[in-house]
PDB file of all heavy atoms in Angstrom:
ATOM      1  N   GLU A  10       1.304 -78.612  23.391  1.00  0.00           N
ATOM      2  CA  GLU A  10       1.590 -77.223  23.727  1.00  0.00           C
ATOM      3  C   GLU A  10       1.684 -76.423  22.427  1.00  0.00           C
ATOM      4  O   GLU A  10       2.360 -76.812  21.488  1.00  0.00           O
ATOM      5  CB  GLU A  10       2.913 -77.151  24.480  1.00  0.00           C
ATOM      6  CG  GLU A  10       3.166 -75.783  25.070  1.00  0.00           C
ATOM      7  CD  GLU A  10       4.430 -75.758  25.910  1.00  0.00           C
ATOM      8  OE1 GLU A  10       4.856 -76.813  26.383  1.00  0.00           O
ATOM      9  OE2 GLU A  10       4.989 -74.666  26.047  1.00  0.00           O
ATOM     10  N   VAL A  11       0.988 -75.324  22.369  1.00  0.00           N
ATOM     11  CA  VAL A  11       1.017 -74.472  21.187  1.00  0.00           C
ATOM     12  C   VAL A  11       2.030 -73.357  21.433  1.00  0.00           C
ATOM     13  O   VAL A  11       1.915 -72.620  22.403  1.00  0.00           O
ATOM     14  CB  VAL A  11      -0.384 -73.875  20.896  1.00  0.00           C
ATOM     15  CG1 VAL A  11      -0.332 -72.940  19.699  1.00  0.00           C
ATOM     16  CG2 VAL A  11      -1.384 -74.990  20.667  1.00  0.00           C
ATOM     17  N   VAL A  12       3.026 -73.308  20.575  1.00  0.00           N
ATOM     18  CA  VAL A  12       4.038 -72.267  20.703  1.00  0.00           C
ATOM     19  C   VAL A  12       3.839 -71.286  19.553  1.00  0.00           C
ATOM     20  O   VAL A  12       3.859 -71.668  18.397  1.00  0.00           O
ATOM     21  CB  VAL A  12       5.460 -72.876  20.629  1.00  0.00           C
ATOM     22  CG1 VAL A  12       6.513 -71.779  20.697  1.00  0.00           C
ATOM     23  CG2 VAL A  12       5.647 -73.886  21.740  1.00  0.00           C
ATOM     24  N   LYS A  13       3.619 -70.055  19.890  1.00  0.00           N
ATOM     25  CA  LYS A  13       3.474 -69.029  18.841  1.00  0.00           C
ATOM     26  C   LYS A  13       4.794 -68.271  18.753  1.00  0.00           C
ATOM     27  O   LYS A  13       5.298 -67.779  19.743  1.00  0.00           O
ATOM     28  CB  LYS A  13       2.337 -68.069  19.174  1.00  0.00           C
ATOM     29  CG  LYS A  13       0.991 -68.727  19.065  1.00  0.00           C
ATOM     30  CD  LYS A  13      -0.111 -67.723  19.037  1.00  0.00           C
ATOM     31  CE  LYS A  13      -1.406 -68.479  18.824  1.00  0.00           C
ATOM     32  NZ  LYS A  13      -2.539 -67.628  18.672  1.00  0.00           N
ATOM     33  N   GLN A  14       5.317 -68.240  17.532  1.00  0.00           N
ATOM     34  CA  GLN A  14       6.577 -67.555  17.320  1.00  0.00           C
ATOM     35  C   GLN A  14       6.322 -66.328  16.467  1.00  0.00           C
ATOM     36  O   GLN A  14       5.594 -66.393  15.488  1.00  0.00           O
ATOM     37  CB  GLN A  14       7.530 -68.507  16.600  1.00  0.00           C
ATOM     38  CG  GLN A  14       8.959 -68.304  16.958  1.00  0.00           C
ATOM     39  CD  GLN A  14       9.830 -69.367  16.295  1.00  0.00           C
ATOM     40  OE1 GLN A  14       9.384 -70.109  15.446  1.00  0.00           O
ATOM     41  NE2 GLN A  14      11.072 -69.415  16.693  1.00  0.00           N
ATOM     42  N   GLN A  15       6.921 -65.235  16.860  1.00  0.00           N
ATOM     43  CA  GLN A  15       6.769 -64.035  16.046  1.00  0.00           C
ATOM     44  C   GLN A  15       7.657 -64.162  14.814  1.00  0.00           C
ATOM     45  O   GLN A  15       8.613 -64.921  14.810  1.00  0.00           O
ATOM     46  CB  GLN A  15       7.184 -62.807  16.838  1.00  0.00           C
ATOM     47  CG  GLN A  15       6.236 -62.540  17.995  1.00  0.00           C
ATOM     48  CD  GLN A  15       6.438 -61.147  18.564  1.00  0.00           C
ATOM     49  OE1 GLN A  15       7.393 -60.469  18.216  1.00  0.00           O
ATOM     50  NE2 GLN A  15       5.541 -60.741  19.421  1.00  0.00           N
ATOM     51  N   ASN A  16       7.259 -63.427  13.777  1.00  0.00           N
ATOM     52  CA  ASN A  16       8.092 -63.438  12.571  1.00  0.00           C
ATOM     53  C   ASN A  16       9.471 -62.877  12.897  1.00  0.00           C
ATOM     54  O   ASN A  16       9.588 -61.809  13.476  1.00  0.00           O
ATOM     55  CB  ASN A  16       7.458 -62.588  11.465  1.00  0.00           C
ATOM     56  CG  ASN A  16       6.209 -63.233  10.918  1.00  0.00           C
ATOM     57  OD1 ASN A  16       6.020 -64.427  11.050  1.00  0.00           O
ATOM     58  ND2 ASN A  16       5.360 -62.433  10.306  1.00  0.00           N
ATOM     59  N   VAL A  17      10.478 -63.621  12.542  1.00  0.00           N
ATOM     60  CA  VAL A  17      11.843 -63.198  12.810  1.00  0.00           C
ATOM     61  C   VAL A  17      12.445 -62.692  11.501  1.00  0.00           C
ATOM     62  O   VAL A  17      12.399 -63.378  10.492  1.00  0.00           O
ATOM     63  CB  VAL A  17      12.679 -64.382  13.364  1.00  0.00           C
ATOM     64  CG1 VAL A  17      14.119 -63.955  13.583  1.00  0.00           C
ATOM     65  CG2 VAL A  17      12.055 -64.893  14.655  1.00  0.00           C
ATOM     66  N   VAL A  18      12.978 -61.493  11.525  1.00  0.00           N
ATOM     67  CA  VAL A  18      13.602 -60.933  10.339  1.00  0.00           C
ATOM     68  C   VAL A  18      15.109 -60.978  10.541  1.00  0.00           C
ATOM     69  O   VAL A  18      15.638 -60.367  11.457  1.00  0.00           O
ATOM     70  CB  VAL A  18      13.138 -59.473  10.099  1.00  0.00           C
ATOM     71  CG1 VAL A  18      13.822 -58.903   8.870  1.00  0.00           C
ATOM     72  CG2 VAL A  18      11.638 -59.434   9.948  1.00  0.00           C
ATOM     73  N   ALA A  19      15.752 -61.752   9.712  1.00  0.00           N
ATOM     74  CA  ALA A  19      17.207 -61.859   9.804  1.00  0.00           C
ATOM     75  C   ALA A  19      17.831 -60.904   8.792  1.00  0.00           C
ATOM     76  O   ALA A  19      17.311 -60.729   7.699  1.00  0.00           O
ATOM     77  CB  ALA A  19      17.635 -63.289   9.505  1.00  0.00           C
ATOM     78  N   PRO A  20      18.928 -60.270   9.150  1.00  0.00           N
ATOM     79  CA  PRO A  20      19.579 -59.386   8.174  1.00  0.00           C
ATOM     80  C   PRO A  20      20.121 -60.195   7.002  1.00  0.00           C
ATOM     81  O   PRO A  20      20.636 -61.290   7.187  1.00  0.00           O
ATOM     82  CB  PRO A  20      20.713 -58.744   8.969  1.00  0.00           C
ATOM     83  CG  PRO A  20      20.933 -59.644  10.132  1.00  0.00           C
ATOM     84  CD  PRO A  20      19.638 -60.351  10.400  1.00  0.00           C
ATOM     85  N   VAL A  21      19.944 -59.649   5.814  1.00  0.00           N
ATOM     86  CA  VAL A  21      20.407 -60.333   4.611  1.00  0.00           C
ATOM     87  C   VAL A  21      21.528 -59.501   4.005  1.00  0.00           C
ATOM     88  O   VAL A  21      21.384 -58.301   3.812  1.00  0.00           O
ATOM     89  CB  VAL A  21      19.255 -60.470   3.587  1.00  0.00           C
ATOM     90  CG1 VAL A  21      19.748 -61.101   2.298  1.00  0.00           C
ATOM     91  CG2 VAL A  21      18.124 -61.287   4.187  1.00  0.00           C
ATOM     92  N   VAL A  22      22.627 -60.131   3.715  1.00  0.00           N
ATOM     93  CA  VAL A  22      23.743 -59.437   3.076  1.00  0.00           C
ATOM     94  C   VAL A  22      23.610 -59.666   1.577  1.00  0.00           C
ATOM     95  O   VAL A  22      23.636 -60.794   1.107  1.00  0.00           O
ATOM     96  CB  VAL A  22      25.091 -59.981   3.590  1.00  0.00           C
ATOM     97  CG1 VAL A  22      26.236 -59.300   2.848  1.00  0.00           C
ATOM     98  CG2 VAL A  22      25.207 -59.766   5.083  1.00  0.00           C
ATOM     99  N   VAL A  23      23.439 -58.585   0.846  1.00  0.00           N
ATOM    100  CA  VAL A  23      23.311 -58.679  -0.600  1.00  0.00           C
ATOM    101  C   VAL A  23      24.664 -58.349  -1.206  1.00  0.00           C
ATOM    102  O   VAL A  23      25.169 -57.241  -1.058  1.00  0.00           O
ATOM    103  CB  VAL A  23      22.233 -57.696  -1.118  1.00  0.00           C
ATOM    104  CG1 VAL A  23      22.118 -57.790  -2.626  1.00  0.00           C
ATOM    105  CG2 VAL A  23      20.907 -57.992  -0.458  1.00  0.00           C
TER     106      VAL A  23
END
Side-chain angles (χ1 to χ4, degrees):
E10 190 175 337
V11 178
V12 177
K13 290 195 176 185
Q14 212 175 10
Q15 293 194 350
N16 290 339
V17 177
V18 179
V21 176
V22 177
V23 179

